[in-house]
Amino acid sequence: LFDHELLATEPVCIPQTPQRVAVQDLAAMELMYMLDIKPTAVAQDWVAALFPTLPDPYGTVITDYFADVANFGGFELNLEALLETDPDIILINMFYGPDEDTLAAISEIAPVVAVDSIFWKEITPLFGDALGVEAEANGLVDAYEARIDALNVAADGQLAGREATLVMIADDGTVSAHLPGGISWVALDDVGFIPPSGLPQSAEETFDQFEAMRIR
């Protein structure tokens, strides 16, 4: 019986060592890539939308890693395709769009570990626990924290309080600004950068002003 404070559902009974994993959450995909755990199915919409935008070689390497994995959608989950992959566990993030009806439907296919948060440092250990690799997942987060500490020491406080804007340019030329509360702002916040005036200054402000960022 799996339970966690960030679980978006009631406790769910899952396999102790799941072998066939369907994954929609981006942090869970990255965790599986880092630990070389090949999923049975992924939400290829999200793979195509995000990973190619990462700097080379990371974007290409991660995209290629999932290229031959079965697709069950992303923006809208394809339940028939998911059923065909016969997963024994499904990892999803409610923040990226599934509604309660969809959650109920995919729960009929296999046990679902669902979160409703994009704070990867919190949900990476959760998904690691669900996959039976909690120690390894915690190790990745600890290694990240050690790199942040080393950067802060090297910067000698010169980054703290400085304004920064992080943007992503899509293949079609669309420019998107990352804001506090988003995945990419975690590292900037950890080294002390702040958003320019006029932009939300915290995750709470971002979600208050831009609730429509949620796919659902």
Side-chain angles (χ1 to χ4, degrees), residues 20-112:
R20 301 182 59 81
V21 182
V23 54
Q24 171 250 16
D25 176 74
L26 292 168
M29 289 185 202
E30 291 174 328
L31 170 65
M32 297 179 75
Y33 165 75
M34 291 294 292
L35 299 181
D36 195 19
I37 303 172
K38 206 64 174 275
T40 300
V42 297
Q44 291 285 5
D45 289 357
W46 292 111
V47 173
L50 178 71
F51 293 128
T53 68
L54 299 177
D56 285 333
Y58 310 109
T60 300
V61 169
I62 299 177
T63 302
D64 289 348
Y65 184 80
F66 294 112
D68 60 346
V69 179
N71 176 29
F72 67 102
F75 295 102
E76 292 186 11
L77 299 185
N78 185 328
L79 272 64
E80 290 79 9
L82 181 61
L83 182 62
E84 288 180 2
T85 66
D86 189 29
D88 53 27
I89 193 172
I90 304 168
L91 310 179
I92 72 166
N93 195 321
M94 301 297 288
F95 192 92
Y96 297 126
D99 55 26
E100 294 298 329
D101 290 340
T102 302
L103 178 61
I106 63 176
S107 296
E108 295 292 323
I109 297 174
V112 176

Side-chain angles (χ1 to χ4, degrees), residues 151-189:
L151 175 57
N152 284 330
V153 170
D156 193 25
Q158 296 184 49
L159 301 180
R162 301 187 67 174
E163 293 184 350
T165 302
L166 180 64
V167 299
M168 180 173 67
I169 304 175
D171 290 339
D172 63 2
T174 301
V175 178
S176 302
H178 290 255
L179 301 173
I183 300 170
S184 301
W185 249 100
V186 172
L188 296 182
D189 185 60

